[in-house]
Amino acid sequence: MSGEGQTGRAGASERNEEYERMEKWLDDHPEFTHDYFARKAKRSMVDGWLLAQALSHSPNLKQPETSNSSGSNSRNNSGTNTPVRKISAQEFDRGDTLNPIVSTVDGARTFLGPSTSQTSVTNKLHRRPRTELKTLDEKELMYELVIDICNELDVNSLCHKILQNVCILLNADRCSLFLVHGREGEERFLEAKLFDVSADTTLEEVCENREAIRIPWGTGIIGHVAQTGELLNIPDAYKDPRFNNEIDLQMGYRTHSILSTPIKDCEGVVIGVAQAINRTNCKDEPFNLHDEKIFSNYMAFCGIGLKNAQLYEKSLLENRRNQVLLDLARVIFEEQNNVANLIYKIMMHTQSLLQCQRCQVMLIDDLCKGIFSQVFDLENTDFDNSDTFNREWPAEPRFPIHIGISGYVAATGKILNIANAYEDKRFDPTVDIDLNFKTKAILCMPIKNAQGKVIGVTQLINKLDGSIFNKNDENLFEAFAIFCGLGINNTQTYETLMKAMAKQRISLECLSYHASAPADEARRLKTMVIPSTYSYNLLDFSFSDFGLDDDDTLKASIRMFIDLNLLERFRINYETFCRWLLSVKKNYRDVTYHNWRHAFNVAQTMFCMFKSGQMDNVLTETEKLALIIACLCHDLDHRGTNNQFQIKTSSPLADLYSTSTLEHHHFDQCIMILSTKGNDILCNIRQDEYEEVIQMLENAILATDLALYFKFRGEFFNLVRSSETNWNRERDRDLLRSMMMTASDVSAITKPWEVQLKVADLIASEFFEQGDLEKTQLNIKPAEMMDRDKKDRLPDMQVGFIDSICLPVYQAIAEISPRLEPLLEGCKKNRQNWQYVSQHNSKHVVDENKRENESKDDSIHENEGNIEEEINNENENENLQLMDIESSEEAENTDSVTVS
């Protein structure tokens, strides 16, 4: 057992070491790591990472101190601050099946369901006739009347039943019920829900004649009972100072006795007041103690039922409000093209819902922050039968935002609810004079975007029923303002994007014009004599362009297309081809290595693989066309820096492409040139051929990203080793084309040693230039291959580059075609050369250290001799002694330089 345990521990240790090596490799290759995670990560992995991040940033957890500075180069993600609440659909399965969220009304999809009046639940149990109720004893009657209200959830119907039952219980002539409005700490009042209800009055009669009766908190008999929460029995109403006889005078009625009691919920909070007036059998006889007890007991049950009905009504209203907001969201996201249309639709919904005379929206000018640039105004009279509006464009008064009510809201971001505009100093009465309008109540709110920035102001003026805007209006209007802000911000962004796209199209037209080579240069190239393939040595894998001028590289490129029969096969106009070739050359920047010369050399290697390597027997003409174009275009507009540099500097290219950043840009540049008039060499081929070429072209250019090479090479190597591979499957052929692109792209490593040395120097110089930029601009330490201070490590890095990237791909393609072995042999020879240089450098360093140590010893002996000579001559005269000392100091300085 102990032996097995030791073996297991040894195996675990080896695995841990292997994992550490793998992790270090992933850290050193962030592009591949990012790409692998983007392709392979499962949802559970992403959720786990998010959870770990959330826990690591939780304020309740003690975090270990880290050395990460606040000046991190990572970019912010707009979504990281958005809280995500996970909710399961199973939560909605606790009850019965819910109603559909989306319904169809008049052929249009909407979130609005049936109104609350249609969905209210009423009691289907009918109360016994009044004559039967009178035959019951007191307990039976109480029980019957409690059952009568227990299942009623409509507040109006419940209040009507309560009052009718009170009339029966107390033999009262009339009853009224008042409900409490407002919360503690706010202005509270009571409002008559149903007034002067008798035992024979129907609910319809009461609702038809109902007038709004509002009683301030603590005022009168009703206000006193609500405030104190105690029952009040008044034998003679006219002798009580709290009684108001105005209603008696209006209705021609004489109130004698009053019995008023609070209605409380299960927590003892007063939610209303019920009042009984005059006994039916004898109006002069007051209510007695027995009546008080029955009234209080029955109201205890009524309070619970009334609270439940209010909660149910509130839930219906909440649901209705949510439906309205969802429908508003639907309207907003249906209209994203034009801000004016969107705002008018929002105002129509707002005005219809909140029933006001006027609705206004004022937008703040982006350029001049201190003024409103646009004002949208909609009156209730602007609607016609088809629910359209008569105004098409907003006014642009451009008045300052620091004055008036709307200016105050725009400047402060606060909500204003003004009951009487003329009593507010910020209101300008001249506005009404100019418009022949009377402003009374105003509800004004800021419009904010997702970042909380005020982008405008919206206000409602005068409710149609003459009342003031209440808290419910504020809450609903605030939600409307939020949706309005999001919708306006999105639409403005869309309009800005459309303008930017229009500008981009214009810029692309200008860019295409300037990026395209002049027609006269194309005509000049067209007239040139094109030498043979052998004149340029294009069929030799050891080809070098160092002896060619720019015109020779162009003519050699033309020769490759001619020998591959691509011009004739795809009906490419010769002058158009010459201009396209010149345009491709023109769009390479004058960087140290990734320039036109590099692209030309890559194309020559691909051509040599076709001809000398006999790969043209494997590939179709369409594939050869796509690959040779891809080679010439694969580094278009290269900036001399790699993908990681684009990401670190947050360049626009990195914002546009998250992976294979530069390769995507090279392909886009390639398509731009191919689409430019006068450069469209593919204009005469069939549509299906064109689509096939473009697809191959994109895959081939993207394949030059080494991250993708690492991603796919394992699959390719397995194909090569398989005896059944015949390259008939499109997936296999795509892998083959990708590996041929990689083999051509790094083919400088296969060239003769003198050529390889020059190319390596060019590559190193470009890398060092990027490293210098990272040091100066980004203030970071570059990777070794980019660090000018580590240039002595170049031979070692070259050996590592050959072993990890070059040798595997050349070994694989040499197995496909033995004629490609010169690439493999050239790569091996250069590996030996770089290995020799690396070892020689190491030996040279050792020798230098040895010579420095010997020089240091000689210096010490020489100094000792000088000191001895000074001691022997100390009896000489003073001037001679000083001269000897100066001579000795010079010797010491010379020795120090030698040691250094």
Side-chain angles (χ1 to χ4, degrees), residues 374-437:
Q374 294 177 308
V375 174
F376 301 83
D377 189 3
L378 190 68
E379 295 186 30
N380 63 317
T381 56
D382 288 337
F383 294 98
D384 57 23
N385 293 331
S386 60
D387 288 336
T388 58
F389 50 86
N390 299 323
R391 305 182 186 190
E392 296 182 358
W393 301 107
E396 297 193 14
R398 297 187 177 272
F399 55 86
I401 68 172
H402 62 276
I403 60 173
I405 292 173
S406 57
Y408 174 84
V409 173
T412 62
K414 296 181 179 179
I415 300 172
L416 282 183
N417 188 350
I418 302 173
N420 190 335
Y422 281 84
E423 293 180 359
D424 195 294
K425 296 179 180 180
R426 292 163 296 199
F427 177 68
D428 183 8
T430 58
V431 176
D432 283 355
I433 299 174
D434 295 338
L435 299 175
N436 193 23
F437 185 83

Side-chain angles (χ1 to χ4, degrees), residues 19 28 32 82 96 107 127 130 196 202 303-304 389 435 497 565 579 600 648 659 664 732 781 786 795 833 844 850:
Y19 292 156
D28 294 338
F32 172 81
T82 304
D96 200 357
R127 187 178 53 198
R130 191 173 177 185
D196 267 3
T202 64
I304 297 173
F389 50 86
L435 299 175
L497 178 62
N565 197 34
R579 190 172 185 183
F600 168 70
K648 290 174 184 176
T659 58
H664 276 105
D732 299 345
K781 182 176 178 59
M786 305 283 181
N833 291 332
H844 178 70
K850 183 177 180 181

Side-chain angles (χ1 to χ4, degrees), residues 241 270 341 517 533 576 661 754 769 778-779 792 804 831 863 883:
V270 177
N341 291 340
T533 304
T576 301
T661 302
E754 61 276 8
E769 289 168 8
L778 303 179
N779 196 27
D792 57 321
S804 62
R831 187 194 185 283
N863 286 337
M883 290 177 62

Side-chain angles (χ1 to χ4, degrees), residues 1-7 9:
M1 291 296 291
S2 61
E4 293 176 358
Q6 292 176 356
T7 303
R9 286 192 295 271

